[in-house]
Amino acid sequence: MSHVMLLASSQWPAAALGAHPLLTEDTGTQGAGHVQLELTHDLSRTKDTSTYTRDQHINAVLSIGLTDTLDAIVALPHERQTDRLAATDATLRGFSDMELAAKWRFYDEGALSFALRPGLGVPTGDDDKGLGAGHATPSLFAVMTYAGEPWTFHVHLGYTRNIHDGADERNHIYHASLAAEYALGESLRLVGDASMESSAGRSDHPNTGSMVLGLVYSVTPSLDIDFGYRKGLTNPAADSAWLTGLAIRF
C-alpha cells in the first residue's frame, strides 16, 4: 500500500485537528498556563468493486497555552488499516507522522476573531510501510470564528506543502472548510461542517470532500465528549466514518 492511499484516507494532520468531530479549526486557545488533551477515534469504511477497507484513526493532541492568545500543539496519530480482498485480509498498523503546530489568535473583537495556525508534519511514521510521508510537511492555515448566540461559525483555509519528488503525488495541498455550531442548551451543541481538500494522489479525484454532523456535550467545564458521523463526498474520502472523542482541560 502506498503512503498516498493512507494519507488520503486519514486526511492531512492539520485538517484533522479541528475541535472534534469537526474537521474545521476554530480560533479558541487554552489561555496562559492551561493545557488540553484531546483523544479521538475515527472508524471509517470504504468499499469498491473488489476491496473493502476498514480504517481506525486514533489521535492524541496536546495543546499548551503559552499566552492567552498563543498555543503550542503536538499531535501523534495511530493508524490501523485493513484491506479485505476476497477471503484475504491485509492489515497495516502503527504510528504515523507527528505534527508540531502553533495557534495564534491575533484579532479578537466582539463576536469576531481571526487566528493563524502554522504547522509542521514530522516524518515519524514508517514510510516503507505506508505510515508516513517520508518527509517534512509544512503547512499554514488561516481561521475565522464568529461566535453569536445560539449560532457560531468557523471558516478554515490553508495550504500544506507536500515536498515530494515523484510524479504520483501533488506537491501543493489546499484546504477549505466551513463549520457551524448551534447551542441546544448550556452543555450541548449540535455541530456540522463541510470540507474540501486537494487529493494527495494525482490519479485520484482532484479534491477530497466530506461532510460531518455531530454533537458535543460538556460534562463539566473541563471535560467535553463528542460523537459524530462523516460522509465522504468524493474519492479518495472514506465512504463513511463514525467519530468519537473527549477533551480534558487542566
Side-chain angles (χ1 to χ4, degrees):
M1 179 187 304
S2 70
H3 62 261
V4 176
M5 294 176 62
L6 184 56
L7 287 175
S9 68
S10 61
Q11 302 220 358
W12 291 87
L17 286 179
H20 203 261
L22 300 176
L23 292 173
T24 304
E25 185 66 86
D26 59 61
T27 61
T29 54
Q30 302 308 313
H34 294 279
V35 176
Q36 175 179 277
L37 176 63
E38 188 175 23
L39 302 173
T40 66
H41 177 267
D42 300 354
L43 177 62
S44 64
R45 295 178 174 86
T46 303
K47 186 176 182 179
D48 58 27
T49 56
S50 59
T51 307
Y52 171 80
T53 300
R54 184 175 185 267
D55 183 70
Q56 289 181 288
H57 179 81
I58 299 172
N59 204 16
V61 184
L62 184 67
S63 301
I64 302 172
L66 303 180
T67 71
D68 285 344
T69 58
L70 178 64
D71 282 358
I73 302 167
V74 180
L76 182 61
H78 185 276
E79 299 284 344
R80 177 186 172 93
Q81 183 167 298
T82 301
D83 292 325
R84 178 171 297 171
L85 179 61
T88 303
D89 289 354
T91 299
L92 176 69
R93 65 171 68 85
F95 288 101
S96 51
D97 289 351
M98 177 187 295
E99 191 197 22
L100 306 176
K103 181 161 59 170
W104 172 44
R105 190 175 64 253
F106 62 88
Y107 179 88
D108 193 347
E109 188 69 33
L112 185 63
S113 57
F114 293 90
L116 290 175
R117 189 187 185 284
L120 181 67
V122 182
T124 54
D126 191 330
D127 181 32
D128 293 334
K129 294 181 178 180
L131 289 169
H135 53 75
T137 52
S139 62
L140 179 62
F141 287 78
V143 188
M144 183 200 78
T145 292
Y146 183 84
E149 182 62 42
W151 288 96
T152 298
F153 299 96
H154 311 289
V155 178
H156 184 185
L157 303 172
Y159 168 78
T160 299
R161 179 71 166 95
N162 183 23
I163 308 171
H164 189 265
D165 296 330
D168 57 336
E169 292 188 35
R170 292 184 173 88
N171 291 325
H172 307 284
I173 308 296
Y174 299 95
H175 175 91
S177 59
L178 172 67
E181 304 181 20
Y182 182 79
L184 297 172
E186 293 185 359
S187 302
L188 185 64
R189 289 174 286 149
L190 176 67
V191 300
D193 77 4
S195 66
M196 191 68 69
E197 185 166 277
S198 306
S199 300
R202 291 188 181 276
S203 61
D204 295 320
H205 188 284
N207 297 300
T208 301
S210 62
M211 297 186 68
V212 173
L213 184 65
L215 291 169
V216 179
Y217 177 64
S218 297
V219 181
T220 72
S222 300
L223 175 63
D224 292 345
I225 58 175
D226 64 76
F227 178 80
Y229 176 79
R230 185 172 69 234
K231 175 65 176 176
L233 302 178
T234 67
N235 288 323
D239 293 341
S240 62
W242 293 103
L243 320 169
T244 55
L246 62 86
I248 308 169
R249 289 174 287 273
F250 306 95

